[in-house]
Amino acid sequence: MIAVSVVVPVYNSADYLDECIQSLLAQTLTNCEFIFVNDGSKDNSQNIIELHQKYDSRIVLINQENQGVSVARTNGIAIAKGNYIGFVDADDTVEKDMFQTLYTVATQNQVDVVVSRVKKEQDGVVVSHQHPFAVDTVFDFEYIHNQIIPYMIQKDNLNSACNKIYKLDFINQHQIRFPKGVALGEDGLFNMKALSFAKNIFFTNYTGYFYREVIGSATRNIIEKDYFKQTLAVYQFDFSEFLNRKVNIKNEQQLKGLRLIEKVVAIVAIYLNAKNSGSFSSRYRYVRNMIHNEEAQKNIRQLWTEVTRNKSKFEKFILYCIKSKWMFCIVLATQYSYLRNKK
């Protein structure tokens, strides 16, 4: 019996792939299969996988033309044989007891989904990200619908598929797959759909997944990435057609409005502090156009009480400047915050 199938999409990942494979082969839960989906890599990725495959029969390799991470993961799901399934990105690593820990929790508590914490490396600094729900508790169908899914509409820190394992039977039963080209992102919509059908979920305080962010990737070519366009697309997205019909989301538009404003604040900081990405004038114009956007202004005014609740004086000041469209004050405040946090 295979306990856990692990699907790893691979595209030009040769620089980090060997480290990823080594961390998987070292798992204390030995009855795993590791499905590597080579998505048309043009570097040495395929050769690296084949070399390890010679010495470990748990490695399964699929080669396909480049079709993107969603198709790669979906093709991995199609051949998976495990009781549970998990996902790892090819430039990340996992602790040696990652899948042993999550599988033990899943089987002992008979749950459809287990969520762990994540360590992230950002510009050389490692931070551990906590999830917002109580640990070591089984949350049922009703709690998922009333608390967790609304949270996911407002926030995006539960989106990743890589810090979770899912019972494969229910994933296949409800044909839960990674969609292509959706506003929320493939991981986010996969998880939202999965949780809308899950009978229960368990959050553990264990941290076993190490996510590597390439230095500077968050601020490279930010004008071309157009984060605000993506944010507006999520705001306008209709979740209902992807969710279990039993799910009835209350205050959905308000949740999406709060998400929109939180993202606007984050984008202001990213664009104005991105010293090595485009000219200051182009980034200034981008932020100015964003804070003048009709939907942004409508939501920050209508949801002012909710937006400013539990915020610091500095955060409230930034929000007030956005609402008042005071670009000069926004620039000064953002620069002050950047210099303060560098110390």
Side-chain angles (χ1 to χ4, degrees):
M1 181 200 76
I2 296 174
V4 179
S5 299
V6 182
V7 176
V8 186
V10 179
Y11 179 71
N12 293 346
S13 304
D15 288 346
Y16 302 110
L17 184 55
D18 186 72
E19 188 179 357
C20 174
I21 295 173
Q22 294 284 5
S23 75
L24 291 172
L25 298 183
Q27 289 299 296
T28 55
L29 182 67
T30 56
N31 54 334
C32 293
E33 66 173 354
F34 306 110
I35 303 170
F36 289 84
V37 185
N38 177 35
D39 188 34
S41 295
K42 301 184 186 306
D43 64 1
N44 199 37
S45 293
Q46 181 177 337
N47 292 336
I48 294 172
I49 299 167
E50 289 175 344
L51 179 62
H52 285 282
Q53 191 179 31
K54 289 180 181 179
Y55 301 100
D56 200 310
S57 61
R58 295 175 298 171
I59 293 178
V60 179
L61 173 60
I62 301 173
N63 289 307
Q64 64 179 40
E65 293 183 0
N66 181 243
Q67 299 175 73
V69 65
S70 287
V71 174
R73 285 174 171 169
T74 293
N75 289 340
I77 294 172
I79 67 165
K81 300 174 182 177
N83 189 12
Y84 283 80
I85 189 166
F87 302 91
V88 171
D89 286 342
D91 50 358
D92 298 337
T93 59
V94 294
E95 297 289 350
K96 64 181 181 180
D97 62 344
M98 164 88 169
F99 292 106
Q100 177 80 66
T101 300
L102 299 193
Y103 184 70
T104 299
V105 167
T107 53
Q108 285 180 348
N109 294 278
Q110 291 297 295
V111 292
D112 285 341
V113 184
V114 177
V115 184
S116 71
R117 294 173 58 181
V118 176
K119 288 185 293 185
K120 290 187 178 183
E121 178 187 351
Q122 296 172 305
D123 292 339
V125 178
V126 177
V127 293
S128 180
H129 288 254
Q130 298 185 24
H131 33 62
F133 298 98
V135 298
D136 302 333
T137 302
V138 177
F139 293 116
D140 62 12
F141 187 82
E142 183 178 358
Y143 187 90
I144 292 171
H145 292 183
N146 292 335
Q147 301 295 329
I148 298 176
I149 290 178
Y151 178 88
M152 292 184 70
I153 292 175
Q154 184 180 346
K155 309 279 187 179
D156 59 10
N157 56 358
L158 281 180
N159 281 0
S160 175
C162 293
N163 64 324
K164 304 171 179 68
I165 62 170
Y166 311 81
K167 197 165 190 177
L168 186 57
D169 281 351
F170 107 89
I171 292 294
N172 285 329
Q173 177 187 350
H174 300 290
Q175 282 297 297
I176 300 164
R177 298 295 186 262
F178 289 87
K180 294 177 63 178
V182 292
L184 183 64
E186 293 88 347
D187 279 31
L189 197 53
F190 176 88
N191 275 305
M192 197 170 288
K193 186 172 183 179
L195 293 186
S196 77
F197 283 100
K199 296 188 299 292
N200 43 37
I201 186 172
F202 189 99
F203 291 86
T204 174
N205 205 38
Y206 170 81
T207 306
Y209 193 91
F210 181 75
Y211 170 83
R212 179 188 284 112
E213 182 174 287
V214 178
I215 294 176
S217 63
T219 58
R220 188 178 295 124
N221 299 323
I222 56 173
I223 299 298
E224 290 82 357
K225 289 179 179 179
D226 200 350
Y227 289 146
F228 184 59
K229 181 180 179 181
Q230 298 173 35
T231 298
L232 279 177
V234 174
Y235 172 75
Q236 296 160 350
F237 189 76
D238 180 10
F239 298 103
S240 59
E241 62 179 290
F242 292 92
L243 301 180
N244 187 337
R245 292 182 180 178
K246 296 180 181 179
V247 176
N248 181 22
I249 303 168
K250 298 177 181 178
N251 303 320
E252 178 180 349
Q253 202 57 39
Q254 177 175 319
L255 294 170
K256 292 198 290 189
L258 291 170
R259 180 192 184 104
L260 175 66
I261 300 307
E262 288 185 8
K263 285 294 185 180
V264 165
V265 173
I267 292 169
V268 165
I270 291 172
Y271 277 68
L272 293 182
N273 288 330
K275 310 300 182 185
N276 299 315
S277 181
S279 66
F280 175 77
S281 60
S282 64
R283 291 183 281 113
Y284 180 97
R285 286 193 301 272
Y286 187 93
V287 172
R288 183 188 62 196
N289 291 338
M290 178 178 64
I291 68 170
H292 279 77
N293 177 268
E294 182 179 343
E295 293 297 335
Q297 283 294 320
K298 180 184 74 175
N299 279 281
I300 199 169
R301 293 176 186 279
Q302 290 181 351
L303 302 174
W304 182 251
T305 301
E306 292 81 5
V307 164
T308 55
R309 183 174 292 131
N310 299 322
K311 294 293 192 296
S312 68
K313 289 182 179 179
F314 180 79
E315 290 170 324
K316 288 179 180 178
F317 177 73
I318 291 289
L319 287 163
Y320 187 80
C321 290
I322 292 172
K323 185 176 76 166
S324 303
K325 305 176 188 176
W326 290 348
M327 272 301 296
F328 180 72
C329 293
I330 290 172
V331 171
L332 289 181
T334 303
Q335 184 63 20
Y336 166 75
S337 177
Y338 174 77
L339 294 174
R340 183 185 62 181
N341 291 331
K342 281 192 69 175
K343 293 180 180 179

